[in-house]
């Protein structure tokens, strides 16, 4: 088992090393996809002195748009004014000027409220009421009432304010390396500080995520559009304007590459859900019609039904039933069809989850456990001679991660694209199972006995302890629970559960029962606990029925509170 990492001190210019590495990596992997502006940026950056490079990377790694030179303090840069001058001379930064008016809010937010009141060209009559206002109101008032050129003149009279350039080029280089907009250069930092340990890969086996410039631009377009939507959603923009903005964007967007389609589907469903919450069902329907990915079809059925389009709703239910994409769709298609057909009848239809729950046994639990219902049920079993443990998703996810560790991180499958990657790029796509079906089944074929299962996961657990794996939460309890599960279930049953997880990692890594109970005689059960006000989810029903189908003992237990 790995020991606690020692305190690590990074070299003074660590961030420059990371940026240089990133540039070199992107050139090797994607040099043929870079445009002239990106190639020119790399060439010009490398011609800067080391201190000027450090200064620029410092700027590019921060989220601010504008920087006050007098406020900068970087001990590792020997001559900060000279570095700033070099960046200005070579066009890597530019001084604040009236052309930045569209970014006026960012400009003013670079200063504190007292500084704004002191530096802005405000009349004494304006200062008095603004002195009691919030900073955001001062910013809004100034941009609306004052000439921006005068603002710039006032702010820069005693201080130099600059804006970094080449932001588009730097964004593209980082996007090519990480493959998404959520990761950033801090990934290098947390690795080298020992905060996260990444699986080690032979870099010669890493493969490019993008095969063409179009793939890069399409996927990036979706990411940037999603960011723009979040900004509009969180602002005071009327929902009608958000709808019009998106539909106009969708009309002129390019035909997207396959790599961008999952992100596009998620964007569509997010916007559709937003419009529903804004009480705009017709507009939401128009948006949902743009994709068939979960949960768009379910939402369309519900909207059709509410609009009185019964035949259309039934037809879509039948379509979903023929090819459900997850447990939610599978149960919904049947349940909602019954609901539509029983509309107006005295006896209302009940969902499959409701029927399953109502047929379940119940147990009396003291009301002191009202806010810790699983603990109350676990204590009930402990008092009646059973062993019990909280399980839910955690040990099943961990078992999958340990059993298939090398298959998950296999660079030969061409889904590992950079050395800081936490999971394969197809991890939550159907491709994960399709590409690895033979490997997954061979691994399970090699694990024919309980001893083989135990030996394999113990070996992986101790060899890989502490290395990041999105399915594995490292602690000693995980191994103990996994060994207990192996002791209770047949190897064939474990294999069937692992294969079922692999077919849809996004959905099938959730919904497992809350508790595992067992006794010395080899008896066991997986128990889904439900309080009087709780409901059974579709994914929970999926696993309960799957367990029953393969002979794994599992049930729902309804709690009844006692005084």
């Amino acid at each position: 088992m790995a020991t606690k990492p020692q305190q690590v001190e990074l070299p003074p210019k660590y961030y420059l090393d990371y940026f240089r590495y990133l540039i070199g990596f992107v050139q090797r992997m994607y040099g043929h996809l870079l445009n002239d502006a990106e190639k020119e940026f790399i060439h010009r950056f490398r011609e800067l002195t080391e201190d000027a490079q450090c200064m620029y990377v410092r700027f590019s790694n921060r989220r601010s748009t504008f920087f006050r030179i007098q406020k900068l303090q970087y001990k590792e840069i020997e001559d900060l004014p000279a570095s700033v001058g070099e960046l200005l001379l070579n066009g890597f930064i530019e001084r604040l000027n009236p052309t930045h008016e569209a970014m006026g809010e960012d400009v003013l937010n670079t200063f504190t409220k007292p500084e704004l009141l002191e530096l802005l060209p405000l009349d004494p009559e304006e200062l008095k009421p603004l002195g009691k206002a919030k900073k955001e109101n001062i910013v809004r008032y100034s941009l609306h009432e004052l000439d921006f050129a005068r603002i710039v003149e006032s702010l820069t009279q005693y201080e130099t304010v600059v804006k970094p350039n080449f932001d588009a080029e730097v964004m593209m280089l980082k996007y090519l390396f990480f493959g998404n907009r959520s990761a950033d250069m801090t990934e290098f930092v947390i690795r080298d500080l020992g905060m996260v340990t990444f699986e080690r890969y032979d870099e010669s086996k890493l493969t490019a995520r993008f095969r063409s410039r179009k793939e890069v631009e399409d996927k990036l377009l979706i990411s940037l559009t999603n960011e723009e939507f979040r900004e509009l959603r969180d602002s005071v923009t009327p929902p009608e304007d958000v709808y019009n903005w998106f539909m106009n964007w969708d009309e002129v967007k390019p035909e997207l590459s396959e790599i961008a389609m999952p992100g596009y589907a998620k964007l569509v469903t997010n916007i559709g859900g937003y419009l529903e919450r804004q009480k705009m069902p017709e507009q939401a329907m128009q948006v949902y019609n743009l994709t068939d990915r979960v949960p768009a079809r379910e939402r369309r059925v519900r909207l059709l039904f509410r609009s009185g389009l019964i035949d259309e709703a039934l037809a879509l239910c039948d379509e979903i039933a023929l090819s459900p994409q997850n447990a939610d769709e599978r149960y919904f298609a049947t349940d909602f069809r019954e609901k539509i057909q029983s509309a107006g009848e005295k006896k209302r239809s009940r969902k499959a989850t409701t029927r399953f729950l109502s047929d379940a046994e119940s147990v009396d639990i003291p009301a002191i456990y009202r806010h810790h219902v699983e603990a109350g049920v676990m204590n009930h079993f402990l008092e009646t001679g059973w062993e019990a443990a909280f399980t839910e998703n955690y040990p099943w996810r961990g078992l999958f991660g340990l059993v298939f560790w090398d298959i998950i991180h296999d660079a030969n499958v061409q889904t590992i694209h950079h050395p800081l990657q936490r999971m394969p790029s197809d991890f939550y796509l159907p491709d994960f199972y399709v590409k690895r079906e033979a490997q997954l089944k061979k691994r399970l074929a090699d694990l024919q006995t309980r001893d083989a299962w135990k030996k394999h996961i113990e070996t992986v657990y101790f060899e890989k302890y502490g290395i990041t794996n999105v399915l594995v939460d490292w602690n000693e309890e995980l191994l103990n629970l996994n060994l207990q599960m192996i002791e209770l279930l047949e190897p064939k049953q474990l294999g069937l559960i692992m294969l079922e997880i692999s077919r849809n990692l996004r959905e099938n890594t959730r919904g497992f029962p809350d508790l595992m109970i067992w006794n010395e005689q080899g008896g066991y059960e997986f128990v889904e606990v439900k309080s009087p006000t709780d409901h059974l989810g579709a994914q929970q029903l999926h696993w309960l029925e799957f367990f029953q189908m393969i002979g794994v003992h599992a049930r729902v237990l309804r709690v009844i509170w006692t005084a």
Side-chain angles (χ1 to χ4, degrees):
M1 187 180 299
T3 58
K4 186 177 180 179
Q6 296 180 343
Q7 189 71 26
V8 176
E9 186 173 339
L10 298 176
K13 297 180 179 179
Y14 65 93
Y15 55 90
L16 179 59
D17 295 335
Y18 298 152
F19 192 72
R20 286 173 170 173
Y21 172 82
L22 182 143
I23 288 176
F25 185 93
V26 170
Q27 279 191 304
R28 291 194 305 274
M29 299 289 282
Y30 302 104
H32 61 295
L33 302 185
L34 298 177
N35 63 25
D36 290 342
E38 291 149 5
K39 293 176 182 177
E40 178 67 12
F41 165 78
I42 294 173
H43 173 72
R44 291 174 61 184
F45 176 81
R46 285 176 170 156
E47 288 189 330
L48 295 172
T49 62
E50 185 171 287
D51 275 357
Q53 289 183 356
C54 285
M55 187 85 268
Y56 182 77
V57 174
R58 283 286 194 184
F59 286 145
S60 69
N61 283 345
R62 290 172 61 180
R63 296 188 181 277
S64 305
T65 307
F66 293 88
F67 297 88
R68 300 162 63 182
I69 297 304
Q70 284 86 334
K71 296 291 184 180
L72 300 177
Q73 293 181 344
Y74 299 123
K75 295 179 180 179
E76 75 279 7
I77 299 178
E78 294 182 6
D79 192 339
L80 196 146
S83 299
V84 171
E86 184 178 348
L87 292 178
L88 282 167
L89 182 64
N90 288 278
F92 279 80
I93 59 176
E94 63 185 23
R95 295 178 186 273
L96 172 62
N97 63 72
T99 64
H100 296 137
E101 184 171 3
M103 295 174 280
E105 189 172 341
D106 292 330
V107 172
L108 296 186
N109 280 326
T110 308
F111 295 82
T112 65
K113 173 184 171 179
E115 288 171 335
L116 290 176
L117 293 175
E118 180 182 351
L119 296 173
L120 287 172
L122 296 165
D123 295 330
E125 294 182 0
E126 295 174 302
L127 275 173
K128 188 173 181 179
L130 287 176
K132 299 179 181 179
K134 293 182 178 180
K135 179 184 173 181
E136 60 190 61
N137 293 330
I138 296 173
V139 170
R140 190 178 301 114
Y141 175 86
S142 300
L143 294 175
H144 187 266
E145 299 295 334
L146 301 178
D147 178 67
F148 189 72
R150 287 191 63 205
I151 292 177
V152 171
E153 183 180 358
S154 298
L155 295 179
T156 60
Q157 187 172 2
Y158 301 106
E159 189 164 3
T160 301
V161 181
V162 300
K163 172 192 169 297
N165 292 325
F166 300 112
D167 50 333
E169 287 76 15
V170 171
M171 177 184 67
M172 179 57 78
L173 292 175
K174 291 180 179 179
Y175 192 77
L176 283 167
F177 182 85
F178 291 110
N180 60 68
R181 290 272 292 160
S182 58
D184 57 32
M185 302 301 286
T186 58
E187 294 289 289
F188 289 98
V189 177
I190 62 175
R191 177 198 65 184
D192 290 349
L193 288 178
M195 298 167 66
V196 173
T197 304
F198 293 94
E199 180 66 86
R200 292 187 178 275
Y201 298 106
D202 179 350
E203 289 204 15
S204 66
K205 293 184 178 181
L206 301 182
T207 55
R209 182 188 299 261
F210 305 105
R211 296 171 297 177
S212 67
R213 179 77 186 194
K214 178 170 173 52
E215 284 192 345
V216 184
E217 292 179 346
D218 286 353
K219 194 169 187 294
L220 178 57
L221 172 66
I222 299 303
S223 297
L224 295 175
T225 305
N226 194 47
E227 291 173 21
E228 188 175 356
F229 163 63
R230 289 199 296 267
E231 290 177 4
L232 292 171
R233 179 197 63 193
D234 297 338
S235 68
V236 295
T237 306
E240 296 83 0
D241 291 350
V242 175
Y243 168 75
N244 290 330
W245 158 79
F246 177 69
M247 296 305 289
N248 289 334
W249 173 86
D250 192 74
E251 188 174 342
V252 300
K253 78 178 187 305
E255 184 176 349
L256 296 172
S257 310
E258 183 59 33
I259 195 172
M261 293 308 294
Y264 173 74
K266 186 175 182 180
L267 173 64
V268 166
T269 54
N270 285 343
I271 294 176
Y274 162 79
L275 293 171
E276 276 200 86
R277 292 189 294 275
Q278 297 301 316
K279 311 300 182 186
M280 299 174 63
E282 293 182 10
Q283 291 86 344
M285 176 66 85
Q286 291 297 316
V287 172
Y288 285 134
N289 278 329
L290 298 173
T291 183
D292 282 338
R293 306 270 179 120
V294 173
R297 295 193 297 182
E298 175 186 336
R299 300 314 308 168
R300 278 155 51 195
V301 170
R302 294 183 183 277
L303 289 170
L304 287 168
F305 178 68
R306 290 173 195 164
S307 300
L309 301 173
I310 306 303
D311 290 341
E312 290 86 345
L314 287 171
L316 188 50
C317 279
D318 293 341
E319 179 183 318
I320 295 172
L322 288 173
S323 56
Q325 297 175 40
N326 62 9
D328 290 314
E329 281 202 336
R330 177 155 55 91
Y331 294 115
F332 169 80
T334 302
D335 291 342
F336 210 82
R337 166 172 270 283
E338 291 181 4
K339 176 180 178 178
I340 293 173
Q341 292 177 329
S342 63
E345 298 180 6
K346 292 183 179 180
K347 186 177 180 180
R348 296 178 59 185
S349 66
R350 295 193 303 167
K351 296 193 298 183
T353 51
T354 304
R355 293 194 298 271
F356 197 97
L357 181 58
S358 64
D359 293 340
E361 296 180 42
S362 62
V363 61
D364 293 339
I365 300 294
I368 59 171
Y369 290 105
R370 189 177 298 275
H371 301 296
H372 305 281
V373 58
E374 292 88 358
V377 175
M378 187 166 77
N379 190 57
H380 163 78
F381 283 112
L382 290 172
E383 289 178 346
T384 54
W386 291 78
E387 296 293 325
F390 292 109
T391 50
E392 205 172 12
N393 308 319
Y394 148 71
W396 295 105
R397 289 164 56 90
L399 183 60
F400 187 94
L402 294 174
V403 170
F404 299 126
W405 185 286
D406 54 329
I407 298 174
I408 293 170
H409 294 95
D410 186 1
N412 293 315
V413 185
Q414 300 187 345
T415 55
I416 306 297
H417 313 297
H418 66 81
L420 305 181
Q421 200 167 322
R422 296 171 185 253
M423 60 184 179
S425 56
D426 64 351
F427 200 60
Y428 292 125
L429 301 176
D431 282 358
F432 179 86
Y433 177 77
V434 173
K435 289 180 179 178
R436 299 166 182 80
E437 180 180 2
Q439 289 177 277
L440 298 169
K441 289 182 175 179
K442 182 180 185 307
R443 171 59 46 78
L444 295 175
D446 292 338
L447 302 177
Q448 291 292 322
T449 66
R450 289 189 172 95
D451 286 343
W453 275 82
K454 291 178 181 179
K455 181 179 179 181
H456 179 71
I457 69 162
E458 284 183 317
T459 299
V460 176
Y461 180 88
F462 290 111
E463 283 184 357
K464 301 296 185 179
Y465 189 89
I467 297 176
T468 187
N469 181 315
V470 295
L471 296 180
V472 181
D473 297 323
W474 292 111
N475 61 62
E476 294 182 7
E477 188 61 25
L478 171 65
L479 182 59
N480 293 333
L481 283 175
N482 281 173
L483 293 175
Q484 187 63 58
M485 290 159 62
I486 291 169
E487 188 64 35
L488 296 173
L489 274 63
E490 297 292 336
K492 184 177 181 181
Q493 292 172 324
L494 290 168
L496 290 171
I497 294 168
M498 294 298 102
L499 277 182
E500 182 66 11
I501 292 174
S502 71
R503 291 185 174 96
N504 191 336
L505 278 163
R506 183 177 297 281
E507 301 291 342
N508 291 345
T509 49
R510 63 182 181 89
F512 289 95
D514 297 305
L515 304 178
M516 177 174 69
I517 63 171
W518 67 97
N519 58 28
E520 294 180 355
Q521 292 74 42
Y524 76 90
E525 274 190 321
F526 292 95
V527 181
E528 179 63 38
V529 177
K530 291 299 175 186
S531 71
T533 57
D534 203 359
H535 301 283
L536 189 67
Q539 189 62 35
Q540 293 171 332
L541 179 55
H542 167 78
W543 277 119
L544 289 166
E545 291 188 337
F546 187 84
F547 279 4
Q548 290 180 354
M549 182 180 70
I550 65 174
V552 172
H553 305 310
R555 60 170 168 152
V556 176
L557 196 57
R558 293 184 295 111
V559 168
I560 296 176
W561 300 122
T562 61

